[in-house]
Amino acid sequence: MKWLFAPVNKWLLGGALLLVMLIAMSLLLWPAKPPLPQKIQGNVQMGFYDLMSQRKEIYDSSMKTVSNTILTTITSPDDSRFVLKGKFTRLGLDDGKIFFSYTPVYSSTLRSGLMIDGLVDLLLHVDVWMEPLQLKDQPIVVGQSGMIFLYPLHR
């Protein structure tokens, strides 16, 4: 069988077309990971309530974004010695939900048996997700546990 050689122009055109198709396929198969907004910071107060034992715990949480990480500091207005620092590292994006893993950085817990220990234990063993939504021009973030944040927080 005798092969026919195509002119160089056709080879270049074919190669360029193949390159464009590969780039288009890579953009469709591997969507870009949108970065978290830079330098966003906010404060949230959260509480834990146990109706059976009539106990409550109130905490102040400060959050700040740095690259693809959310740094958190949790303090107690009732106990100035309580400090819990951690970071949420972004893992990826799936079906509109942003997944994070939690890593504790510092804990000054002097007492055991606090209700917040259950939350920390959950965060250590489960990758948590948050889903950004838009409600009448107001961006909100819904968390896996049902928490809802107005977003952006204080800039």
Side-chain angles (χ1 to χ4, degrees), residues 2-3 20 24 35 46-47 52 67 69 83 103 109 117 119 121 127 129 131 136 150-151:
K2 189 173 183 180
W3 293 96
V20 167
M46 61 182 175
M52 296 286 286
S67 295
T69 303
V83 177
T103 307
T109 306
D117 293 341
L119 174 67
D121 188 50
D127 293 335
W129 57 262
E131 184 171 7
K136 294 184 181 179
L150 294 178
Y151 188 78

Side-chain angles (χ1 to χ4, degrees), residues 44-46 57-61 74-82:
V44 175
Q45 190 170 62
M46 61 182 175
E57 296 173 14
I58 307 277
Y59 297 98
D60 296 324
S61 175
I74 299 174
T75 57
S76 173
D78 299 327
D79 184 359
S80 61
R81 299 172 295 173
F82 179 87

